[in-house]
Amino acid sequence: MVLLATARDPRFEASRLELDRPGPSYTVDTLLEAQQRYPAAELFFITGADAYNDADSWHQAERLDDLAQLVAVTRPGHTPEIHPFFRERTRLLEIPGYDVSSSEIRKRLREGRTVRYLLPLEVEVYIGKHGFYRVG
């Protein structure tokens, strides 16, 4: 789905690092492998600000800020609750946009509601074709 979502923009490259690695996939391992593959690149780990609330429970979380610049993206109308360990190590990026989350998208799909304009059309079609997130 990442490949579909980024295919039209040449500035993006979808990565298979986590898909091709056997066993559990941890963020720290992905960042280590990205450093090895792209030694001259400045790496950024970008995720929703809400994910940083419990990021201290992640595997080797204390290493993350040594491997990449941590970026927490806010959602309109939500005050981020960033775990104290990450609060000073993370750049907060406030972006305009829809107040929507992946959890909300999955919920809407389970309920048979539309996700039009919440996802790239190619991803919406792919999810529909494969019946992802539907109940029953």
Side-chain angles (χ1 to χ4, degrees), residues 103-118:
S103 299
E104 177 65 22
I105 290 171
R106 288 189 299 272
K107 179 180 181 233
R108 291 177 72 90
L109 289 166
R110 279 192 305 274
E111 294 171 352
R113 296 168 55 206
T114 185
V115 292
R116 178 72 37 106
Y117 308 117
L118 301 178

Side-chain angles (χ1 to χ4, degrees), residues 43-114:
L43 299 178
F44 293 82
F45 177 70
I46 304 169
T47 192
D50 54 323
Y52 284 103
N53 189 34
D54 67 348
D56 63 315
S57 67
W58 297 358
H59 181 71
Q60 297 183 15
E62 69 283 355
R63 297 183 63 196
L64 297 179
D65 67 321
D66 291 330
L67 301 172
Q69 172 61 56
L70 305 178
V71 179
V73 179
T74 63
R75 289 199 330 245
H78 293 269
T79 303
E81 295 181 27
I82 298 176
H83 187 277
F85 178 83
F86 291 97
R87 199 172 293 133
E88 293 182 14
R89 295 167 171 81
T90 304
R91 291 184 190 174
L92 194 60
L93 178 62
E94 295 187 32
I95 60 169
Y98 298 109
D99 181 16
V100 66
S101 66
S102 58
S103 299
E104 177 65 22
I105 290 171
R106 288 189 299 272
K107 179 180 181 233
R108 291 177 72 90
L109 289 166
R110 279 192 305 274
E111 294 171 352
R113 296 168 55 206
T114 185

Side-chain angles (χ1 to χ4, degrees), residues 26-39:
Y26 299 111
T27 301
V28 68
D29 296 332
T30 301
L31 292 175
L32 284 166
E33 190 169 342
Q35 274 189 337
Q36 290 173 352
R37 287 189 184 195
Y38 310 102

